[in-house]
């Protein structure tokens, strides 16, 4: 379906806009591919011509108009580009779109190998792209194009992570609905991405804000809710008054809110305690079970221990009469996943080990049970069970008739068996042992916990311990612009009821006023008619949940939806997920390396356990590309009097100011940068992350306008290794731009006097030489290896080496040049497509086989041959292994070093041993006596 015929060679770009302006020489046409403005860069000047209601206006001042003739000259120079990228790139972008070149059909040939390469899809901000964004996108596009040419079915999609705080904040500030600004931003991002020639399958484009998409985000939430993995609880939260919402820990950095960023961890202080195992006579054995607890204040309420089925000491203390039951239980538990074992709503199961342990604070013998709701991989693999104050322990104790002892009561209130545990803090009761010297009755939970730890350390029974663990994800946001949570609450009882899956999607209602309430009540509470509802099962009045999901929700599973974006019946068809999953290469910023991947993997594991996906992990390989920093800024230090001082002196003067120095006033001296007019003044040279506040953001639109998309793609890959951070340097792009210009001229030929080029090429149809074949296949090997290893910069270097060699050839055989064009195509697809077309092909090269190296041309067949003059070695020459005596002699005669011994001399004899030596015996009559040879 991809064998589309490109346009005829007389293809014309979109209709030209001709400017009848005195600034422009007559009969010069400028093509504008942007409807609102056109920037023509003339060395250090930029002229903007705007089209408004059909009227063309210029921002050029009257003074500049007086320089009409000079500007005409400059403009004529400006259009003599290294190659016509301004025509080529829009042409092939339109061709790819019109012919759906990169669209993957809904049903693919599954006998072919697949390659799923994915970018972390962007949040479409109003600022649009900066040159840091295309770094990862270019890398994935090279991989995608490369794998297509290798015969893979390639899935390379793009979409938008479009819910979230930034759009809502902008909407609040401007009064514009976030849906409008979000769509506007998406359109801008899409246009920019298309202008860079990325081979995305735009037919699979998704946005997290579309109901057809977030229907399945809500569906996944319901699956989490069913399994107790999503739950309601009152917990301390991070409340941001300015944003009017709760933030998860990862959204708070150094005490302030920040969109995304930090690991979700919390510090949990508690105690590590030791319980001695007792023998059948009640005596302590030489076995101690360590437990970790965050609630040492409840230790008097511990009425049993629980160890995980995989606990390393279990075999050493379980009794013989219980061993069979324990072994059977261990076998059953081994077949369950961690998720199945720890589901909050599952019925608790366990088996008695037959053995007891001694509670260290009161000497009470308590039974040791084996239960799979405790994991060997978490903590110590054992817990002290306090059923009165832990929900899981309460359910377990109730089932197996284990004593339940209340040791904490809320605010001195009387507490009895209410049928449920009290897990909160309060006042400690029933917690005193005069024999063991510990009394914590009447203390608050915190005071009691500290006293228990102090007692344990003093008596060698335990110690204070700080553990780090993943914190539950604070999922609700008190904001408008997010996925509605599909839960209702009954008016009478307050009971939460999940919506039926058949009622999805729960559509976000339209609101005119989406500002925060300031009270913690979410903006959705203003949608009165939407909030008020009824329970479809009981018919009872109810209220909808008015918090929305966080921005991260939609990005947890989007990689699955790309596999089957139009499926209205299920999240993803099993056959498609099984073929496309998992993602082969996933590329994105390091700022998402913890947070996003943590949640995505968590959701994926849940979907695996319920049979939605067939793989345990979502991504085979994750690559975090480095950051592109802004251009280096040079700063001079100034003392309190305003005098410029050298950087090394600044530290000794205390306070000092800094002043930015223009690059043209700076020069390098050794490893430092100094002032040109005073080399004794060392400057501070530093590159910063691109940001508006620093004024160092580079817009890719400007780079594409001046150098072309292929130059931008090539430069971003040539700057350095993909995973490393690097500094942007606009002058650096000129080097790769020259490389592309030389490539163009190698194939097409030199420009005509008016700056245009011939329609065809200058390649020949003759057979290539052995040297040309070796040069080509050496390049093929290097480029292939470097793409596969994502070492794109060195792959470009290999192509540059090829080009340097090719410029030394008299003729350029078609078979060599066509292979090189195919090597170049993943990096610079627009130029490659145009050259392929000019080389006489009628189909896009997107699915042409990628060149393969022939090992026959990679072997080194040359040797170093020593050359002697009258038996004394005077130098060496490089010859073919099967070089003849005559060829060797000719090479020696032409060698600069050896020729000085031979000029004007006659050769009496030549001694040639193939592959070993060439000895030239000179006629002695022609050798001057006393002259050193």
């Amino acid at each position: 379906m991809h064998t589309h015929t490109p346009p005829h060679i007389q293809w014309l770009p979109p209709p030209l806009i001709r400017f009848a302006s005195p600034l422009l020489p007559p009969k010069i046409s400028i093509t504008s591919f942007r409807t609102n403005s056109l920037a023509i860069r003339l060395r250090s000047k930029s002229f903007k011509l705007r089209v408004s209601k059909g009227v063309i206006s210029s921002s050029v001042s009257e003074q500049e108009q007086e320089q009409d003739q000079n500007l005409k000259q400059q403009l004529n120079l400006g259009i003599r580009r290294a190659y016509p990228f301004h025509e080529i790139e829009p042409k092939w972008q339109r061709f790819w779109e019109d012919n759906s070149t990169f669209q993957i059909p809904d049903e693919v040939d599954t006998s072919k190998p697949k390659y799923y390469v994915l970018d972390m899809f962007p949040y479409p901000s109003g600022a649009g792209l900066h040159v840091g964004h295309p770094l990862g996108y270019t890398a994935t596009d090279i991989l995608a194009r490369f794998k297509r040419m290798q015969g893979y079915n390639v899935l390379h999609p793009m979409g938008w992570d479009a819910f979230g705080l930034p759009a809502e904040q902008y909407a609040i500030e401007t009064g514009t609905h976030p849906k409008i600004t979000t769509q506007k931003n998406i359109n801008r991002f899409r246009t920019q991405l298309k202008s860079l020639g990325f081979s995305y399958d735009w037919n699979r484009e998704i946005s997290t804000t579309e109901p057809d998409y977030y229907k399945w985000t809500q569906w996944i939430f319901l699956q989490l809710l069913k399994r107790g993995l999503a739950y309601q609880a009152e917990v301390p939260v991070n409340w941001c008054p300015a944003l009017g919402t709760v933030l998860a820990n990862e959204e708070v950095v150094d005490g302030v809110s920040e969109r995304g960023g930090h690991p979700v961890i919390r510090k949990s202080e508690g105690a590590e305690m030791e319980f001695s195992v007792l023998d059948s006579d009640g005596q302590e054995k030489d076995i101690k079970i360590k437990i970790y607890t965050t609630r040492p204040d409840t230790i008097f309420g511990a009425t049993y221990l629980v160890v995980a089925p995989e606990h390393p000491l279990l075999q050493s203390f379980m009794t013989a009469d219980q061993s069979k039951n324990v072994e059977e239980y261990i076998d059953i538990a081994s077949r369950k996943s961690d998720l199945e074992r720890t589901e909050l709503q599952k019925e608790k199961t366990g088996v008695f080990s037959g053995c007891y342990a001694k509670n260290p604070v009161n000497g009470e013998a308590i039974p040791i049970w084996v239960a799979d709701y405790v994991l060997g991989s978490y903590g110590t693999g054992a817990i002290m069970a306090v059923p009165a104050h832990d929900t899981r322990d309460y359910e377990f104790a109730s089932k197996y008739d284990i004593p339940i002892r209340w040791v904490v009561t809320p605010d001195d209130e009387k507490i009895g068996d209410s049928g449920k545990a009290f897990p909160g803090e309060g006042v400690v009761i029933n917690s005193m042992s005069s024999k063991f010297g510990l009394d914590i009755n009447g203390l608050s939970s915190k005071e009691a916990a500290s006293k228990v730890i102090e007692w344990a350390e003093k008596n060698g029974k335990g110690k204070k311990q700080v553990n780090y663990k993943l914190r539950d994800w604070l999922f609700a946001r008190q904001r408008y612009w997010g996925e509605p949570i599909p839960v209702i609450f009954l008016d009478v009882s307050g009971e939460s009821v999940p919506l039926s899956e058949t009622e999805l999607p729960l559509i976000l209602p339209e609101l005119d006023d989406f500002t925060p309430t300031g009270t913690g009540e979410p903006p959705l509470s203003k949608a009165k008619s939407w909030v008020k509802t009824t329970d479809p099962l009981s018919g009872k009045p109810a209220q909808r949940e008015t918090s929305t999901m966080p921005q991260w929700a939609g990005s947890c599973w989007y990689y699955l939806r790309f596999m089957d974006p139009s499926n209205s019946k299920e999240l993803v068809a099993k056959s498609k997920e099984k073929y496309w999953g998992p993602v082969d290469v996933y590329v994105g910023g390091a700022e998402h390396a913890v947070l996003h991947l943590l949640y995505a993997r968590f959701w994926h594991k849940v979907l695996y356990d319920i049979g939605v996906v067939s793989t345990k992990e979502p991504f085979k390989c994750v690559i975090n590309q480095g950051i592109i920093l802004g251009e280096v800024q040079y700063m001079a230090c100034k003392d309190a009097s305003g005098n410029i001082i050298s950087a090394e002196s600044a530290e000794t003067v205390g306070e000092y100011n800094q002043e930015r120095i223009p690059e043209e006033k700076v020069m390098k001296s050794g490893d430092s940068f100094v002032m040109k007019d005073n080399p004794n003044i060392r400057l501070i040279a530093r590159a910063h992350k691109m940001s508006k506040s620093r004024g160092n953001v580079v817009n890719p639109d400007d780079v594409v306008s001046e150098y072309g998309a292929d130059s931008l793609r090539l430069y971003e890959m040539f700057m350095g290794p993909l995973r490393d951070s690097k500094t942007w340097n606009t002058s650096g792009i000129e080097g790769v731009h020259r490389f592309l210009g030389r490539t163009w001229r190698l194939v097409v030929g030199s420009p005509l006097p008016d700056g245009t080029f011939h329609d065809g090429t200058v390649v020949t149809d003759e057979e290539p030489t052995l040297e040309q074949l070796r040069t080509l296949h050496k390049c093929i090997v290097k480029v292939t290896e470097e793409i596969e290893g994502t070492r794109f910069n060195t792959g470009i270097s290999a192509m540059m080496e090829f080009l340097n060699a090719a410029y030394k050839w008299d003729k350029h055989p078609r078979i060599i040049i066509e292979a090189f064009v195919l090597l170049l195509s993943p990096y610079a697809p627009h130029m490659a497509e145009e050259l392929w077309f000019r080389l006489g092909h009628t189909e896009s090269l997107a699915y042409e086989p990628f060149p393969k190296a022939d090992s026959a041309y990679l072997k080194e067949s040359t040797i170093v041959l020593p050359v002697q003059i009258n038996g004394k070695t005077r130098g060496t020459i490089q010859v073919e292994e099967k070089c003849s005596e005559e060829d060797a002699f000719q090479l020696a005669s032409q060698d600069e070093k050896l020729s000085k011994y031979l000029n004007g001399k006659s050769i009496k004899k030549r001694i040639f041993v193939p592959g070993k030596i060439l000895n030239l015996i000179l006629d002695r009559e022609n050798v001057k006596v006393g002259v050193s040879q």
Side-chain angles (χ1 to χ4, degrees), residues 434-551:
S434 56
K435 178 180 178 181
F436 288 88
L438 181 61
D439 182 0
I440 54 175
N441 279 333
L443 299 179
S444 69
S445 290
K446 289 183 179 179
E447 292 172 324
S450 296
K451 191 169 183 179
V452 169
I453 293 171
E454 181 183 349
W455 175 90
E457 291 179 336
K458 181 179 178 180
N459 292 275
K461 301 295 183 181
K463 62 180 180 179
K464 183 177 181 179
Q465 183 72 23
V466 177
N467 278 3
Y468 290 85
K469 68 173 183 177
L470 289 176
R471 181 176 183 173
D472 288 352
W473 182 7
L474 293 177
F475 198 72
R477 295 292 183 276
Q478 290 64 51
R479 300 294 294 211
Y480 168 69
W481 194 236
E483 299 93 336
I485 296 175
V487 173
I488 61 174
F489 301 92
L490 301 181
D491 285 358
V492 176
S493 64
E495 177 188 356
S496 62
V497 178
L499 287 186
S500 167
E501 293 175 11
T502 60
E503 296 183 67
L504 302 180
L506 174 60
I507 304 292
L508 186 69
E510 291 288 337
L511 274 184
D512 295 328
D513 178 14
F514 31 77
T515 57
T517 60
T519 63
E521 191 74 11
L524 274 181
S525 62
K526 300 174 184 179
K528 302 294 184 183
S529 60
W530 180 84
V531 173
K532 189 175 181 181
T533 186
T534 57
D535 176 14
L537 292 178
S538 65
K540 296 178 180 179
Q543 305 284 320
R544 296 193 190 279
E545 170 62 72
T546 53
S547 292
T548 55
M549 298 185 194
Q551 180 178 342

Side-chain angles (χ1 to χ4, degrees), residues 38-273:
L38 166 68
I40 307 171
R41 297 183 66 89
L42 300 177
R43 302 197 178 195
S44 63
K45 295 181 181 289
S46 177
F47 301 95
K48 289 189 176 178
L49 301 169
R50 301 190 178 276
V51 182
S52 177
K53 297 182 180 179
V55 179
I56 300 167
S57 61
S58 168
S59 60
V60 183
S61 67
E62 291 182 6
Q63 182 180 2
E64 288 172 320
Q65 290 183 35
E66 293 175 2
Q67 303 169 352
D68 182 38
Q69 295 304 317
N70 291 335
L71 296 180
K72 285 181 182 181
Q73 262 188 335
Q74 289 183 330
L75 185 58
N76 277 314
L77 289 172
I79 64 170
R80 299 173 72 89
R81 295 178 172 91
Y83 70 99
F85 61 84
H86 61 298
E87 296 176 2
I88 294 169
E89 292 178 354
K91 166 185 174 178
W92 287 102
Q93 289 163 17
R94 178 170 296 179
F95 171 80
W96 294 328
E97 185 165 354
D98 290 347
N99 293 278
S100 302
T101 303
F102 307 113
Q103 182 177 330
I104 292 293
D106 195 45
E107 300 296 332
V108 298
D109 179 3
T110 56
S111 66
K112 293 175 62 176
K114 67 90 181 179
Y115 192 75
Y116 186 178
V117 56
L118 181 66
D119 299 296
M120 291 185 184
F121 68 170
Y123 180 84
S125 70
L129 297 176
H130 62 65
V131 292
H133 291 104
L135 178 65
Y137 303 158
T138 303
T140 58
D141 196 59
I142 291 171
L143 291 171
R145 290 176 177 275
F146 173 66
K147 288 296 182 178
R148 282 191 200 95
M149 298 172 78
Q150 286 191 323
Y152 286 74
N153 286 327
V154 174
L155 182 56
H156 187 38
M158 177 50 72
W160 319 105
D161 188 14
F163 270 134
L165 286 174
E168 187 164 349
Q169 281 302 106
Y170 181 80
I172 292 169
E173 293 167 5
T174 63
T176 309
H177 197 284
K179 184 176 183 179
I180 296 172
T181 55
T182 298
Q183 191 57 54
K184 178 182 177 182
N185 295 343
I186 286 174
N187 292 340
R188 172 161 168 73
F189 263 62
R190 188 192 303 109
T191 298
Q192 287 185 299
L193 291 176
K194 286 185 176 181
S195 76
L196 295 173
F198 298 133
S199 60
Y200 293 125
D201 180 356
W202 287 105
N203 194 51
R204 292 174 181 262
E205 178 184 1
I206 58 176
S207 170
T208 57
T209 62
E210 294 300 323
D212 288 347
Y213 179 84
Y214 68 70
K215 166 185 178 178
W216 298 105
T217 309
Q218 293 171 335
W219 182 87
I220 296 173
F221 175 82
L222 291 178
Q223 310 317 305
L224 299 174
L225 195 62
K226 287 178 185 177
R227 288 155 181 81
L229 296 171
Y231 63 94
Q232 264 199 309
E234 291 189 7
V235 296
V237 297
N238 301 305
W239 171 255
C240 178
L243 295 177
T245 189
V246 164
L247 299 177
N249 274 12
E250 72 277 1
E251 295 172 308
V252 179
V253 180
D254 296 330
V256 298
S257 61
E258 181 175 281
R259 180 175 161 256
H262 262 342
V264 198
I265 62 172
R266 68 175 175 186
K267 187 170 70 173
S268 178
E269 293 188 2
E272 191 177 83
M273 306 289 290

Side-chain angles (χ1 to χ4, degrees), residues 757-798:
F757 292 87
H758 289 289
D759 289 339
T761 68
V762 294
V763 302
T764 64
D765 290 322
E766 62 190 54
E767 289 298 312
T769 66
L770 184 59
E771 176 197 357
Q772 291 171 331
L773 288 168
R774 283 178 180 161
T775 303
L776 170 66
H777 285 267
K778 180 181 177 183
C779 184
I780 292 173
V781 166
K782 187 66 173 176
V783 172
T784 302
E785 288 178 350
E786 302 309 82
I787 291 179
E788 290 175 339
T790 65
R791 298 180 294 271
F792 305 111
N793 55 322
T794 47
I796 296 171
S797 296

Side-chain angles (χ1 to χ4, degrees), residues 863 865-868 877 879-892 909-921:
I863 59 171
L865 185 72
V867 179
Q868 294 182 342
I877 55 175
V879 300
E880 295 289 332
E881 281 182 333
K882 298 180 180 180
C883 178
S884 67
E885 178 182 327
E886 184 59 32
D887 287 341
F889 176 69
Q890 291 299 325
L891 287 170
K909 185 178 181 182
R910 294 193 307 216
I911 302 171
F912 179 65
V913 181
K916 299 292 184 181
I917 197 168
L918 171 64
N919 187 5
L920 302 176
I921 307 300

Side-chain angles (χ1 to χ4, degrees), residues 581-684:
V583 175
D584 293 279
V585 174
Y586 192 27
V587 177
E591 66 272 19
H592 304 304
V594 175
L595 182 64
H596 164 61
L597 295 179
L598 176 70
Y599 292 149
R601 292 180 67 213
F602 168 59
W603 281 36
H604 191 89
K605 287 179 183 295
V606 174
L607 294 173
Y608 174 76
D609 283 339
I610 65 177
V612 174
V613 297
S614 60
T615 63
K616 290 186 177 181
E617 291 287 347
F619 316 116
K620 280 186 181 179
C621 171
V622 176
I623 297 175
N624 296 124
Q625 85 268 16
I627 297 172
I628 292 185
L629 303 173
E631 293 195 86
V632 174
Q633 296 180 351
Y634 304 97
M635 309 298 293
C637 300
K638 303 181 76 173
D639 62 19
S641 301
N643 300 314
I644 293 181
I645 57 176
S646 192
E648 65 269 16
S649 304
E651 298 176 2
T652 63
V653 301
E655 293 185 5
Y656 62 91
N657 297 318
Q658 292 186 2
E659 177 183 320
R660 187 170 177 180
I661 304 298
E663 186 176 1
E664 58 268 19
K665 294 184 178 182
V666 177
M667 69 177 186
K668 191 167 186 182
S669 175
D671 294 332
S672 303
F673 292 91
V674 298
M675 299 279 289
K676 277 184 180 178
D677 57 1
N678 187 352
N680 293 322
I681 300 296
R682 184 167 67 82
L683 305 174
I684 297 173

